[in-house]
Amino acid sequence: MSSIMGTTDFDALYKTNFNFTTQLFLFYAHVESPLGGSIILAAIVLKLSLYGILRLILPLLPKAYIYFTSVIYVIGVITIIYASFSTLRTIDVKELIAYSSVSHAAVYLLGVFSNSVQGIEGAITLGLAHGFVSSGLFICAGGILYDRSSTRLITFYRGIAQVMPLFSVLFFILCLGNAGTPLTVNFVGEFMSLYGTFERLPLLGAFASSSIVLSAAYTMYMFNRIAFGGSYSRFFKFNIPDLNKREFVILFTLVAFTIVLGIYPAPILDGLHYSVSLLTYHAP
């Protein structure tokens, strides 16, 4: 495929198999990149799609996205279910967080195309919340656990709460945010996104709501296997140290934003009302 990169020969492009590029890009980008790359990709780059929709598609192509809403919703629902089941079967902790990011991205995709103020505001809120939580989870997986144990496999972790209690508490709160638990800003964004989806297409909204159960399933699976799951893992011959001051400050900051904005989301929503109301399309 490298021989046709940059070409304008449409016949060559048509005959080229792009399966590697389209299906495995996000997997390798999230899992194999260093910690900083994973954080930037999950918290910033993944949100560029949302920014592009808000800045280009909604203002410039309102009739088109209204007409193709059902197609977009079907793709979004398939993405939610497929990514969630892929997450349930993985044993790599960074891969699990990466697939969960895809599932949450599909949820705010449904919200932003709902053509309702609640749905679009929920999509923006969920994108912001996912930036906090996914960054924290990648720090936990790639910056703390991997640096101390040199493995990403969930099967090698067990009983971390016995030797890293402070880490386990903050990791648990981030997992609750990833599952969309009430009193987290993820719950606010996910609830409003699904509310807008129900208003637009109730049947597909019901299928999209499966993300609530599936996200709780794979998130609690990850936390339970890492923090508990019996006695301390025999694969580690030494005690893993708990969080140092730098790691604690970083994780606590992300947790604080997740909880405070979940309890009082008005600073986000009040600033969005006017701008979002201009993005909704009303047929003449």
Side-chain angles (χ1 to χ4, degrees), residues 6 20 51 56 71 78-79 82 94-95 106 112 148 155-156 167 210 220 223 242 248:
F20 178 84
Y51 179 78
L56 297 177
V71 178
I78 293 173
T79 303
Y82 183 79
K94 283 191 73 175
E95 185 180 340
V112 77
R148 287 162 167 77
T155 52
F156 285 175
F167 164 79
S210 63
M220 290 301 102
F223 178 79
D242 207 346
F248 174 77

Side-chain angles (χ1 to χ4, degrees), residues 3 8 11 23-24 34-35 64 79 85 136 144 146 155 175 180 191 195 202 217 237 247 261 264 266:
S3 60
T8 56
D11 183 62
Q23 295 179 9
L24 299 181
L35 175 62
T79 303
F85 278 105
I144 297 174
Y146 183 76
T155 52
C175 287
F191 179 83
Y195 177 82
K237 304 300 183 183
E247 294 166 342
L261 293 177
Y264 186 69

Side-chain angles (χ1 to χ4, degrees), residues 13-177:
L13 292 173
Y14 176 75
K15 295 178 180 178
T16 302
N17 183 5
F18 285 99
N19 287 338
F20 178 84
T21 305
T22 55
Q23 295 179 9
L24 299 181
F25 158 73
L26 191 62
F27 169 79
Y28 283 111
H30 267 102
V31 178
E32 302 301 333
S33 63
L35 175 62
S38 297
I39 294 174
I40 293 174
L41 183 62
I44 299 176
V45 177
L46 201 62
K47 308 304 178 295
L48 291 178
S49 60
L50 179 62
Y51 179 78
I53 293 171
L54 294 171
R55 294 289 291 177
L56 297 177
I57 296 180
L58 299 191
L60 300 180
L61 303 169
K63 292 184 179 180
Y65 91 80
I66 291 294
Y67 182 78
F68 289 106
T69 297
S70 58
V71 178
I72 297 170
Y73 272 32
V74 169
I75 296 174
V77 170
I78 293 173
T79 303
I80 290 172
I81 297 175
Y82 183 79
S84 297
F85 278 105
S86 299
T87 306
L88 283 170
R89 59 161 292 278
T90 184
I91 59 173
D92 188 318
V93 62
K94 283 191 73 175
E95 185 180 340
L96 190 150
I97 300 169
Y99 277 129
S100 70
S101 298
V102 176
S103 178
H104 288 103
V107 174
Y108 66 65
L109 174 74
L110 299 180
V112 77
F113 281 112
S114 64
N115 195 37
S116 65
V117 174
Q118 293 85 358
I120 299 175
E121 287 183 355
I124 298 173
T125 306
L126 182 58
L128 179 65
H130 181 260
F132 293 139
V133 171
S134 64
S135 299
L137 289 176
F138 274 119
I139 291 172
C140 291
I144 297 174
L145 292 177
Y146 183 76
D147 284 351
R148 287 162 167 77
S149 61
S150 300
T151 181
R152 297 195 306 260
L153 298 181
I154 297 176
T155 52
F156 285 175
Y157 294 106
R158 189 171 64 244
I160 291 295
Q162 301 175 31
V163 293
M164 301 178 67
L166 188 59
F167 164 79
S168 299
V169 171
L170 296 178
F171 184 48
F172 178 64
I173 297 175
L174 290 172
C175 287
L176 291 179

Side-chain angles (χ1 to χ4, degrees), residues 265-277:
I268 302 174
L269 300 179
D270 289 347
L272 293 176
H273 289 325
Y274 178 73
S275 300
V276 169
S277 63

